[in-house]
């Protein structure tokens, strides 16, 4: 979780204290927001935390797809698996 009092630094400070700040990133697992000319420009994060973020985003995407599919089935927009497989096999047979 981002701590606004500790996790926002200037790019200049990051350049001066890279080793210390990277060690802190690894220890706390908190992202670091870097500013350029007083404006937020970059987020720096340790690899493990970034991978966890990617995994969470992928899970969310999957869950949204499942939810959408369930809603479509409730609305009668889906096809029975038997019908879908029959169509696929027909297309394969016709392609031969």
């Amino acid at each position: 979780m981002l701590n606004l009092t500790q996790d926002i630094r200037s790019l200049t400070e990051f350049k001066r204290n890279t080793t210390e700040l990277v060690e802190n990133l690894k220890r706390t697992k908190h992202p670091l927001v870097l500013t350029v000319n007083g404006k937020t420009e970059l987020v720096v994060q340790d690899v493990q935390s970034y991978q966890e973020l990617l995994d969470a985003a992928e899970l969310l995407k999957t869950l949204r797809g499942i939810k959408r599919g369930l809603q479509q089935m409730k609305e009668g927009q889906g096809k029975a698996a038997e019908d879908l497989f029959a169509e696929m096999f027909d297309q394969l047979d016709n392609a031969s």
Side-chain angles (χ1 to χ4, degrees):
M1 181 60 94
L2 184 66
N3 181 331
L4 294 176
T5 61
Q6 296 177 357
D7 298 332
I8 298 177
R9 306 291 177 97
S10 70
L11 180 59
T12 302
E13 181 182 355
F14 185 77
K15 288 177 182 179
R16 284 187 201 134
N17 302 311
T18 303
T19 302
E20 175 189 335
L21 291 171
V22 168
E23 287 174 4
N24 192 48
L25 279 169
K26 291 178 181 180
R27 184 177 46 77
T28 66
K29 304 295 183 196
H30 292 186
L32 189 62
V33 176
L34 302 179
T35 62
V36 176
N37 297 325
K39 295 182 181 182
T40 56
E41 292 288 334
L42 303 166
V43 175
V44 180
Q45 191 170 24
D46 70 285
V47 172
Q48 182 182 357
S49 296
Y50 183 67
Q51 185 63 55
E52 289 172 7
L53 181 64
L54 291 176
D55 293 346
E58 183 64 29
L59 177 60
L60 181 60
K61 184 178 175 182
T62 300
L63 293 174
R64 283 182 178 157
I66 292 169
K67 184 177 179 181
R68 185 175 55 250
L70 291 172
Q71 185 62 38
Q72 288 172 343
M73 290 299 291
K74 281 183 184 178
E75 295 170 359
Q77 297 176 7
K79 290 185 180 182
E82 296 85 10
D83 296 339
L84 177 64
F85 289 128
E87 285 179 28
M88 289 172 53
F89 288 126
D90 285 343
Q91 288 178 3
L92 288 172
D93 286 342
N94 291 336
S96 303

